[in-house]
Amino acid sequence: MLKRLLSSLLPRSSTAAAAALDATGAIATPEHFAAVPMPWRSGTTLPLPDWDRLALQEPADLTDAARHDWWTAAAAHWLLATGRELAGDYRLRSSPDFLLLSSLADRPAQVFLQFCQDVHRWIRRNLGDIASDAGHGKHAVMVFASEDDYYRYISHYYPEEGEFALSSGMFVNAGYGHFAMFEGGMAQMQPTVAHELTHCLVSHLPIPAWLNEGLATNTEAALFPQLFAPSAQLYHPNEMVRKHAAFWNADTIQEFWSGKSFLRTDEGNLLSYDLARHLTGRAARAEGRFRAFVRHAHQRDAGVGAEPQLGFRIADLATAMLGEGEWAPDSSRWREGVERGQF
């Protein structure tokens, strides 16, 4: 994909501000925005703000509420600018906690935003102090009308070369944290929201990828248990047991603990998410200890340093799932370093 300078898409400085809404929640045109300079990154195919430069422009004397509005305004302008560069009738809508850029019709967009609000409340209640809404600005959600538009956008967050696992949605923990997905039926998009919003609400914690993905997948399973019923799976549970036994060994388990296996393009990707869901589910049985473990776990060692909070070794979780083996995390064997997983 040929990249062109962002300056050919937009002026170097634009405006943003708190939104004016119509009856459907759609945000009005940029003329309704107060001035906030928007610095843009160059060399991108869609508008991407330079969030570090924008942060330097934040007024120093803002109240907390005004700062929230200031960042919401910046996010609104960024999303509007993105919508103008995409084919189709993209509109920006707002709810108390979310900004939504999509080409959804009014009613589906309202239903989608209400679901976002409902699942946001459920996750915060279920995860308690593990989840955090710290920071300023509404949550930004981008629902692209096609897979092509989705991959065109998220390609900005991948290396120029390499093979990467496919996805239907992603939480982008860069600059102004946001999540993106491509359009489908509500039955397809809502589980993606539950998964990616969990990533968003725990993004303040430096937890390892296996724990992050385990929390997100278990949230998805709790809200949409029908999707995790044996009849809905690609493989029968007994076949999954055999696949786990054949795939995991002393080497591949280190890919799992480091987060690398979540980026695989083969069956190891599916097995990584499944293993993360089961290990996290087992660990969460002792709720108080588990929450303390999540608050202290760090990606640099896959959570080994937080084992005292958990009350047992992380390797024991793998043994219970996979049987006896060399399952202990060993960061000295992570030749390519720590990965955050696909979010």
Side-chain angles (χ1 to χ4, degrees), residues 148-321:
D148 286 344
D149 282 347
Y150 169 73
Y151 285 112
R152 177 187 174 194
Y153 176 73
I154 66 170
S155 67
H156 293 101
Y157 301 97
Y158 281 96
E160 291 286 344
E161 297 180 355
E163 292 186 2
F164 309 100
L166 297 176
S167 69
S168 58
M170 180 178 298
F171 173 64
V172 180
N173 191 14
Y176 192 110
H178 58 286
F179 51 103
M181 68 194 72
F182 55 84
E183 190 175 319
M186 286 295 163
Q188 175 186 338
M189 293 192 296
Q190 288 178 345
T192 302
V193 170
H195 188 105
E196 303 306 331
L197 187 54
T198 304
H199 287 319
C200 176
L201 294 176
V202 300
S203 63
H204 61 292
L205 298 171
I207 57 178
W210 72 268
L211 183 55
N212 206 325
E213 295 296 359
L215 287 168
T217 309
N218 276 294
T219 294
E220 197 178 345
L223 291 172
F224 300 94
Q226 71 276 14
L227 300 181
F228 292 81
S231 59
Q233 303 308 300
L234 182 61
Y235 301 109
H236 187 275
N238 290 338
E239 191 173 2
M240 282 296 287
V241 169
R242 290 193 293 272
K243 286 182 175 294
H244 278 296
F247 182 80
W248 299 112
N249 55 46
D251 293 321
T252 56
I253 198 65
Q254 297 306 325
E255 289 187 38
F256 176 79
W257 296 128
S258 73
K260 194 72 175 178
S261 65
F262 292 94
L263 303 177
R264 293 181 69 112
T265 58
D266 60 10
E267 222 166 46
N269 177 274
L270 169 67
L271 295 173
S272 294
Y273 281 90
D274 190 64
L275 183 60
R277 177 169 70 90
H278 285 289
L279 298 194
T280 303
R282 287 177 181 273
R285 291 174 183 175
E287 184 175 344
R289 281 187 170 275
F290 177 69
R291 289 191 178 189
F293 169 69
V294 174
R295 288 194 298 270
H296 289 83
H298 201 286
Q299 60 179 326
R300 63 174 170 257
D301 61 3
V304 170
E307 286 179 341
Q309 283 74 30
L310 192 59
F312 51 83
R313 298 185 313 144
I314 291 172
D316 295 339
L317 291 171
T319 299
M321 174 80 177

Side-chain angles (χ1 to χ4, degrees), residues 40 74-84 92 99-101 140-142:
W40 301 101
H77 185 73
W78 157 51
L79 294 173
L80 282 167
T82 301
R84 287 195 296 272
L92 186 60
L99 293 173
L100 168 65
L101 176 71
V141 187
M142 309 171 84

Side-chain angles (χ1 to χ4, degrees), residues 7-131:
S7 57
S8 67
L9 298 176
L10 294 165
R12 284 291 180 182
S13 180
S14 303
T15 60
L21 308 179
D22 67 18
T24 70
I27 291 182
T29 57
E31 299 86 64
H32 293 272
F33 296 116
V36 174
M38 289 292 292
W40 301 101
R41 285 172 48 187
S42 62
T44 63
T45 65
L46 287 170
L48 291 182
D50 185 328
W51 296 108
D52 291 335
R53 286 172 57 200
L54 184 62
L56 296 176
Q57 299 174 14
E58 179 189 299
D61 57 349
L62 294 178
T63 64
D64 197 57
R67 183 169 289 108
H68 180 79
D69 290 343
W70 194 89
W71 282 103
T72 297
H77 185 73
W78 157 51
L79 294 173
L80 282 167
T82 301
R84 287 195 296 272
E85 293 302 316
L86 295 167
D89 183 22
Y90 279 86
R91 301 179 73 188
L92 186 60
R93 293 175 173 85
S94 180
S95 69
D97 295 298
F98 291 87
L99 293 173
L100 168 65
L101 176 71
S102 77
S103 61
L104 295 169
D106 290 340
R107 181 56 182 162
Q110 290 172 326
V111 170
F112 184 82
L113 274 172
Q114 185 57 57
F115 175 79
C116 289
Q117 289 292 151
D118 291 343
V119 76
H120 177 266
R121 183 169 55 252
W122 187 93
I123 293 171
R124 295 207 64 191
R125 183 175 64 246
N126 189 58
L127 294 186
D129 61 359
I130 295 173

